Amino acid sequence: SAKATGRGNWRRYDPATSTAVGYRLELRTALRQALQDDALMVEYQPIIALGTGHTAGFEALVRWRHPTRGVLSPGEFIDIAEESGLITPIGDWVLATAIRDALEWPRTASNTYPYISINVSVQQFRSTGFVDTVLRLLTETGLPPARLVLEITESLLLRDDDKVWNDLKRLRQWGIRMAIDDFGTGYSALGYLRQVPLDIVKLDRIFISTMATSTRQRELVRGIVQLTRTLGLTVVAEGIETERQRAISMSIGCGYGQGFLFARPMSHEDAVAWTRRPNAE
Ligand code: C2E
Ligand code: MG
Ligand code: MG
Ligand code: MG
């Protein structure tokens, strides 16, 4: 109708919209440049064994040192990276960087080397030669496969895809552990945990925050954690910000936790110093 056309026209010239479109285009071009200019960096956030307080591993989290806008967090550019196909080269760069950094971390107070947990997008996982890239990096660097965790999301498992399935199995046969990230925010939830080749479940932080205020929610999450453990999977509670959240996470059976209560994501140098501390809390 004329009205709809009118609205469409108006929208096309809406200064707010055109600014947003322009901003995204600008970011896309700048992101491609950033990859070439070494303007991306990786920070590491400790993953803590809740029983002992020792650091079990670190999660790698990418950042972008934008020339004029300061340091951007993934929430500000991962979407753009995905729709422009840049997520795969960015992810491969994070993989190589984080593995190299992890090799320099010393033993922790519990006399073990921390593992490195790396986020893998659906696109990157499905890209040609992904598994070979991972295995080649391990061979070249000498990082033991047991020190590598790959974090995938529920969306990778949505379609019943033999290739994805076989790749997951192949990675696990090499001793690499697979984690499901942001667990509970996706679609299929508990049903597939029984079948999918997985080692670790990272409980989304929405559960951790609501658990502290709602008894009903806590019992629900306790059930999820118990089922997960029955299946032989390790549970990491994400986004622990308070002492109370830590205590509840522990009491419902989460073996590990990650969050601002313990530490914010930090530089590689700080991760080395963090690992070296004699008394990890
Ligand atoms: P994620 O994998 O679930 O990572 C955890 C996010 O929660 C990180 O945000 C971390 O800084 C934040 N966080 C940790 N503890 C707390 C806490 O106690 N409270 C709160 N409010 N937040 C906490 P970040 O670094 O902004 O990353 C956001 C997301 O971007 C990640 O969520 C992950 O999905 C994605 N991402 C980060 N790095 C990469 C990467 O290298 N590749 C891919 N594909 N995605 C990445
Ligand atoms: Mg993650
Ligand atoms: Mg997560
Ligand atoms: Mg999350």
Side-chain angles (χ1 to χ4, degrees), residues 252-272:
I252 64 162
C254 299
Y256 299 85
Q258 180 181 353
F260 295 166
L261 175 68
F262 306 108
R264 297 202 169 237
M266 58 184 82
S267 69
H268 166 58
E269 290 72 24
D270 288 347
V272 170

Side-chain angles (χ1 to χ4, degrees), residues 172-198:
R172 290 187 75 234
Q173 275 160 7
W174 277 83
I176 295 161
R177 282 173 296 162
M178 300 302 308
I180 187 141
D181 203 358
D182 305 333
F183 184 74
T185 56
Y187 314 84
S188 27
L190 289 170
Y192 63 71
L193 277 187
R194 212 170 325 208
Q195 304 135 27
V196 180
L198 283 177

Side-chain angles (χ1 to χ4, degrees), residues 59 119 181-183 185 202-206 238-239:
E59 177 173 7
N119 294 284
D181 203 358
D182 305 333
F183 184 74
T185 56
K202 298 191 78 173
L203 263 191
D204 193 77
R205 73 179 147 88
I206 189 76
E238 293 194 286

Side-chain angles (χ1 to χ4, degrees), residues 10-151:
W10 177 79
R11 214 183 255 155
R12 201 175 302 154
Y13 299 113
D14 175 18
T17 306
S18 70
T19 304
V21 169
Y23 178 63
R24 293 179 78 80
L25 275 174
E26 180 216 306
L27 273 191
R28 181 190 289 211
T29 310
L31 186 55
R32 184 166 285 123
Q33 195 61 43
L35 197 53
Q36 287 165 20
D37 294 352
D38 250 0
L40 299 178
M41 60 178 180
V42 186
E43 289 191 328
Y44 301 96
Q45 187 181 33
I47 298 165
I48 306 294
L50 293 177
T52 61
H54 290 146
T55 298
F58 289 90
E59 177 173 7
L61 297 159
V62 69
R63 275 93 183 83
W64 174 12
R65 265 191 242 101
H66 190 280
T68 55
R69 297 178 196 274
V71 175
L72 302 184
S73 61
E76 296 168 274
F77 65 90
I78 285 285
D79 280 0
I80 287 162
E82 262 163 16
E83 61 190 47
S84 61
L86 286 169
I87 191 70
T88 298
I90 289 173
D92 288 352
W93 178 83
V94 171
L95 198 61
T97 303
I99 286 176
R100 198 191 59 220
D101 284 349
L103 281 161
E104 290 177 15
W105 298 338
R107 287 180 211 258
T108 66
S110 58
N111 204 31
T112 52
Y113 289 105
Y115 67 80
I116 177 67
S117 200
I118 301 174
N119 294 284
V120 179
S121 75
V122 175
Q123 252 188 72
Q124 185 190 6
F125 193 93
R126 298 172 68 103
S127 67
T128 314
F130 173 71
V131 174
D132 293 328
T133 301
V134 173
L135 298 180
R136 184 177 44 77
L137 279 168
L138 293 184
T139 314
E140 281 173 8
T141 61
L143 187 83
R147 286 188 59 200
L148 180 62
V149 172
L150 298 178
E151 299 190 8

Side-chain angles (χ1 to χ4, degrees), residues 154-167:
E154 288 171 72
S155 49
L156 182 70
L157 309 168
L158 266 187
R159 268 172 298 181
D160 211 6
D161 185 327
D162 284 347
K163 172 150 193 314
V164 166
W165 207 264
N166 290 335
D167 284 350

